[in-house]
Amino acid sequence: MTTATRTTDTGRTVGPRARTTGVRLTAAVTGRVLRQLRHDPRTIAMMVVLPSILLGLLYLLWKDLPTLPGQPSTFDRVGLTMLGVFPFVVMFLVTSIAMLRERTTGTLERLLTTPLARLDLLLGYGLAFGLAAAVQAVVTVAVATTFYDLDVAGSLWLVVVIAVVDAVLGVALGLLASAFARSEFQAVQFMPVVVLPQFFLCGLLVPREQMAGWLQAISDVLPLTYAVEALQEVGRSAAGTGTLWRDVGVVAAVALLALALGAATLRRRSG
Amino acid sequence: MDAAVTVTDLVIDRGRRRVLDGLSCAVPRGEVTGLLGPSGSGKTTLLRAIVGVQRTRSGQVTVLGCPAGAPPLRTRVGYVTQAPSVYADLTVRENARFFAALYGRGAREADTAIADVGLADAAGQLVADLSGGQMSRASLACALVGRPELLVLDEPTVGLDPVLRAELWDRFHALAAEGTTLIVSSHVMDEAGRCDRLLLLREGALLADSTPTELRARTGTDDLDEAFLTLVRSQPGVAA
């Protein structure tokens, strides 16, 4: 009957009843986050429309440049991978700010006194922004294939799936990054720290085979590398290849790992 | 009957500062206990320890028979922080329904809690558009919605006009009459008279654990503000 200096709390005991409670609580968080979004139509509009506009800019940039015979056009190559980069970047930013707000306004401390388990909270966020990312991906893919002549050999639904997994990765890393930010200024600046190195080394600017060995080694452990490779696979071949599913699995696994680490940074007790 | 909250030899440091230094007290069930003291006396820290979000150095806090912060307590204890901790970009009703869902309650309980804090007319408004007093009442509604056995309120009446303040205190006593235990912190001594029991805190130590009547008798004054000063001056080593 003591509250010792450091109380460990692993949350609920695991059992069938506890798990239904967890699903209910996760759904409550997802609903709440989506309701918050609904009150912010400008953010929704930017989430849904902005990637299409940026992609259009890339399309116009490369439209009249010649392509080597037998090679995919630059836009087909880069534009497709952007469909994975946009949701990752946008969801990283949105989530890290949203979570930082929870910390600074005291709602997080309050949530930690309720039956909500820490993982329920993080999964709730992941689900809400994953759904938003799905809408974003469907719109962007539709616009890109209709208006920008984006040529994809594989299934467009696979592109959407990869985009959603990338978004969830962004959410998970955003939740984790918010633990290290004390202000919104800092949170925003985590974006270049987390996103740009992954973008530089993912194989889009320089093919991975041509990188210096140590750069390639870094590239090997960055999740965006696998997201981009998965999209390149869909662009190249009609059937879902083994490489593609392995890549999607890697991205999903890193997202789950980041969520678990994020849960560990949410201490119920603070100083 | 055993106490709702028992604190034994509680020591808490925040940074390098010792905020609570070996504090012991008990809070009886089904009453309104006021936690009073000047700003910086350790009121919020003690409340945070009771709801189990404060890291402690040593000592024990037992709440409703469990160690503070234990998982079974999370449906039984409600906590309202000093700054209103509700979502500014949701309406009052959406906030109350979200917290209701966390406590396993429904939309009806959410509406009742909103009405209980006098916000029925503002239920559809965004919290960001409310006045400061309305915001803190919205925050209170989100704790009432869980119908907790112990309600911990950190300065719930700050910034409220006298009429609303009186209404809220009536509400607190109505809850106590139904069996709820309330701990209410305040730095305004004129609220001390509204409590069933008083804990007076100063510089991390308990100055008095008493009732308003006892306190008046002991210090020989009707004015609780004056009584507090008398207690401070009677302390050894205090040159006030």
Side-chain angles (χ1 to χ4, degrees):
Chain A
M1 299 302 264
T2 80
T3 59
T5 21
R6 302 211 12 181
T7 312
T8 52
D9 50 353
T10 46
R12 280 187 319 272
T13 47
V14 179
R17 209 186 145 271
R19 225 168 288 130
T20 42
T21 313
V23 170
R24 185 173 55 74
L25 295 178
T26 302
V29 174
T30 302
R32 189 261 295 172
V33 173
L34 289 177
R35 244 166 250 128
Q36 283 179 293
L37 261 187
R38 206 184 58 195
H39 284 294
D40 189 357
R42 195 178 298 182
T43 295
I44 298 178
M46 299 223 305
M47 260 186 198
V48 173
V49 178
L50 212 55
S52 299
I53 294 174
L54 290 173
L55 216 53
L57 194 62
L58 282 181
Y59 167 69
L60 295 172
L61 187 68
W62 280 311
K63 191 164 81 87
D64 299 322
L65 291 183
T67 320
L68 289 176
Q71 293 283 315
S73 76
T74 314
F75 178 69
D76 279 352
R77 195 169 62 84
V78 177
L80 180 62
T81 52
M82 281 300 150
L83 288 172
V85 175
F86 286 139
F88 172 68
V89 175
V90 171
M91 295 308 161
F92 176 87
L93 261 183
V94 169
T95 312
S96 54
I97 299 280
M99 198 60 195
L100 191 75
R101 270 200 215 157
E102 294 256 21
R103 286 177 197 272
T104 51
T105 58
T107 47
L108 180 65
E109 175 155 303
R110 181 174 207 166
L111 290 179
L112 293 177
T113 68
T114 71
L116 183 71
R118 294 168 294 175
L119 205 57
D120 296 338
L121 175 67
L122 298 187
L123 288 177
Y125 264 104
L127 209 60
F129 288 132
L131 280 172
V135 174
Q136 183 190 58
V138 168
V139 170
T140 316
V141 167
V143 169
T145 50
T146 314
F147 298 104
Y148 311 150
D149 310 316
L150 183 75
D151 204 12
V152 182
S155 155
L156 292 178
W157 288 111
L158 265 179
V159 177
V160 172
V161 168
I162 296 169
V164 170
V165 176
D166 287 353
V168 173
L169 175 71
V171 169
L173 290 178
L175 290 169
L176 185 57
S178 78
F180 300 99
R182 293 241 172 275
S183 66
E184 298 198 1
F185 283 158
Q186 292 179 11
V188 170
Q189 296 194 78
F190 271 112
M191 202 272 279
V193 172
V194 172
V195 173
L196 287 184
Q198 299 207 60
F199 182 68
F200 293 162
L201 297 179
C202 72
L204 205 61
L205 303 184
V206 174
R208 279 165 35 81
E209 310 82 67
Q210 294 171 25
M211 286 178 194
W214 63 280
L215 283 176
Q216 207 181 328
I218 297 175
S219 166
D220 283 345
V221 296
L222 297 177
L224 197 65
T225 304
Y226 298 89
V228 166
E229 191 181 61
L231 284 167
Q232 286 169 340
E233 288 290 311
V234 184
R236 264 199 300 266
S237 60
T241 63
T243 312
L244 181 143
W245 290 114
R246 188 210 61 183
D247 288 343
V248 172
V250 169
V251 177
V254 174
L256 285 180
L257 181 70
L259 278 180
L261 285 175
T265 65
L266 292 182
R267 289 276 167 76
R268 256 180 222 280
R269 284 175 188 272
S270 54
Chain B
M1 201 167 80
D2 60 337
V5 178
T6 315
V7 178
T8 317
D9 299 326
L10 184 63
V11 178
I12 293 176
D13 293 338
R14 298 192 82 172
R16 250 178 283 165
R17 203 166 73 90
R18 178 142 300 183
V19 181
L20 294 182
D21 196 4
L23 186 113
S24 298
C25 63
V27 173
R29 286 180 194 250
E31 289 188 6
V32 181
T33 298
L35 179 61
L36 283 107
S39 158
S41 56
K43 298 189 296 292
T44 298
T45 305
L46 178 57
L47 295 183
R48 292 182 79 237
I50 290 171
V51 298
V53 296
Q54 174 66 50
R55 201 177 292 148
T56 61
R57 189 173 174 82
S58 64
Q60 296 174 13
V61 183
T62 306
V63 177
L64 305 173
C66 300
L73 289 177
R74 289 184 197 139
T75 48
R76 300 171 67 197
V77 177
Y79 176 39
V80 182
T81 52
Q82 198 168 341
S85 46
V86 277
Y87 297 98
D89 48 357
L90 289 180
T91 66
V92 176
R93 188 180 289 117
E94 286 168 334
N95 268 293
R97 287 193 178 174
F98 170 60
F99 282 98
L102 296 188
Y103 291 113
R105 313 274 177 181
R108 201 154 41 112
E109 280 102 333
D111 289 341
T112 310
I114 294 170
D116 281 349
V117 297
L119 280 182
D121 291 337
Q125 261 179 276
L126 283 182
V127 167
D129 297 336
L130 300 179
S131 72
Q134 285 176 314
M135 248 184 235
S136 57
R137 280 185 287 151
S139 191
L140 177 61
C142 292
L144 291 179
V145 80
R147 298 181 173 273
E149 291 166 53
L150 170 67
L151 197 50
V152 178
L153 309 172
D154 199 355
E155 310 238 355
T157 57
V158 166
L160 295 187
D161 64 72
V163 178
L164 271 172
R165 231 156 69 166
E167 274 176 24
L168 272 187
W169 276 100
D170 289 345
R171 182 84 223 132
F172 297 160
H173 283 288
L175 285 167
E178 290 164 18
T180 308
T181 305
L182 290 95
I183 305 178
V184 184
S185 83
S186 175
H187 65 269
V188 206
M189 285 308 287
D190 70 353
E191 294 201 317
R194 299 179 183 273
C195 303
D196 300 320
R197 266 207 98 72
L198 288 178
L199 297 171
L200 292 189
L201 210 57
R202 187 172 182 275
E203 290 173 354
L206 203 60
L207 207 57
D209 179 353
S210 166
T211 65
T213 320
E214 273 170 27
L215 196 65
R216 288 191 185 101
R218 198 167 119 201
T219 53
T221 168
D222 267 351
D223 183 20
L224 287 169
D225 231 340
E226 199 58 46
F228 183 76
L229 281 176
T230 311
L231 281 177
V232 170
R233 286 186 186 125
S234 68
Q235 286 239 302
V238 175

